[in-house]
Amino acid sequence: MSELDAVIRDLRDESAELDQYVQGLPEEQWRRATPAAGWTVAHQIAHLAWTDSVALLSASDPDAFAAEVAKAAADPEGFVDVGAAQGAALPPAELLARWRAGRERLHDVLVNAPAGTRFPWYGPPMSVASMATGRLMETWAHGQDVADALGITRTPTARLRQVVRIGVRARDYAFFVRGLKPPQEEFRVELVGPGGEFWAYGPEDAAQRVTGPALDFCLLATQRAHRADLALRAEGPDADAWLDIAQAFAGPAGEGRAPKGATGSGGAAGATGPGDAAGSAGPDAGRGGAAGPTGQGAPA
């Protein structure tokens, strides 16, 4: 199986797992608040359905998609929230059917796209692999929000590898978006997958490194958990600084979540939104998509 086939399969499987969480939910459960401030379970699913729909528009009608980009530029602070709110207002059965239909259509587009296809997006055009990887990262992250809201403990899978790759490649973006100069040297990142897999990025002899469970890295990079609650270890001052600001999504620096037991503001990451795992940042402010500019030499 090619790497592209693998990521498209992983996207489909990740979506199917999240689908199991929400199918058959009573209507009041769809209105349950999630850790993303102001977003219910319905908002989370509506956001995924909305992003699938704009991805399909990108593939089928570039002019119409360009109009969507113009709308985003006119309301960079709110266009993602608007799309989620519109979908969340639908009856749950209709929203679920819309999400299912859209993701199936997108799957067919990704599977059948000719070699070399690039989709217009909110930044530079995206390859098929980038589109699929970005959609997987977003589905996983919003799935975590839904699971947290419903009290579900998820079993991590090897699909986390796709999220890890985005997080590693977004290293420099995390510095750029905060007005900081990224480190010149690459880091070594060594993570242990859910089944004991060893996933490594960067030169073996790097002076600075990050190690720990892959799940914890994904939770950190998507800002679904605070560093203090995770078993990640940094060696070197720049690697240590990265773990304080890591984000796998585009857009402005997110607040992230507060440590467990903390009170006050800053307790929830916003939504992940349109973006490109290969380096194209989406335009939204605070609810970005996959990685921005890449700094680590992770496989494309």
Side-chain angles (χ1 to χ4, degrees), residues 54-79:
V54 294
L56 285 165
L57 199 63
S58 166
S60 62
D61 191 339
D63 290 339
F65 177 75
E68 290 298 315
V69 174
K71 290 180 186 178
D75 184 18
E77 298 287 342
F79 81 100

Side-chain angles (χ1 to χ4, degrees), residues 26 46 166 202 237 240 269:
I166 295 179
D240 187 71

Side-chain angles (χ1 to χ4, degrees), residues 182-269:
Q184 292 187 336
E185 62 184 280
E186 290 190 61
F187 301 158
R188 177 71 168 179
V189 179
E190 297 181 351
L191 302 171
V192 179
E197 306 92 338
F198 179 70
W199 297 333
Y201 303 83
E204 291 187 38
D205 61 350
Q208 302 193 62
R209 61 187 56 225
V210 168
T211 57
L215 173 60
D216 287 18
F217 182 82
C218 293
L219 290 168
L220 184 77
T222 58
Q223 297 190 353
R224 263 56 190 180
H226 191 277
R227 178 183 179 182
D229 298 319
L230 303 171
L232 295 170
R233 181 168 178 257
E235 297 178 24
D238 294 330
D240 187 71
W242 179 38
L243 292 189
D244 285 333
I245 62 174
Q247 66 179 69
F249 53 88
E255 292 183 5
R257 294 195 183 167
K260 290 180 179 178
T263 59
S265 61

Side-chain angles (χ1 to χ4, degrees), residues 100-138:
R100 286 170 171 171
R103 73 185 201 235
E104 279 302 309
R105 288 197 299 271
L106 182 59
H107 176 269
D108 291 342
V109 166
L110 296 174
V111 167
N112 295 307
T117 295
R118 299 190 72 82
F119 301 105
W121 203 237
Y122 292 90
M126 290 200 299
S127 68
V128 177
S130 293
M131 176 69 81
T133 307
R135 299 303 304 125
L136 191 152
M137 182 278 293
E138 191 173 22

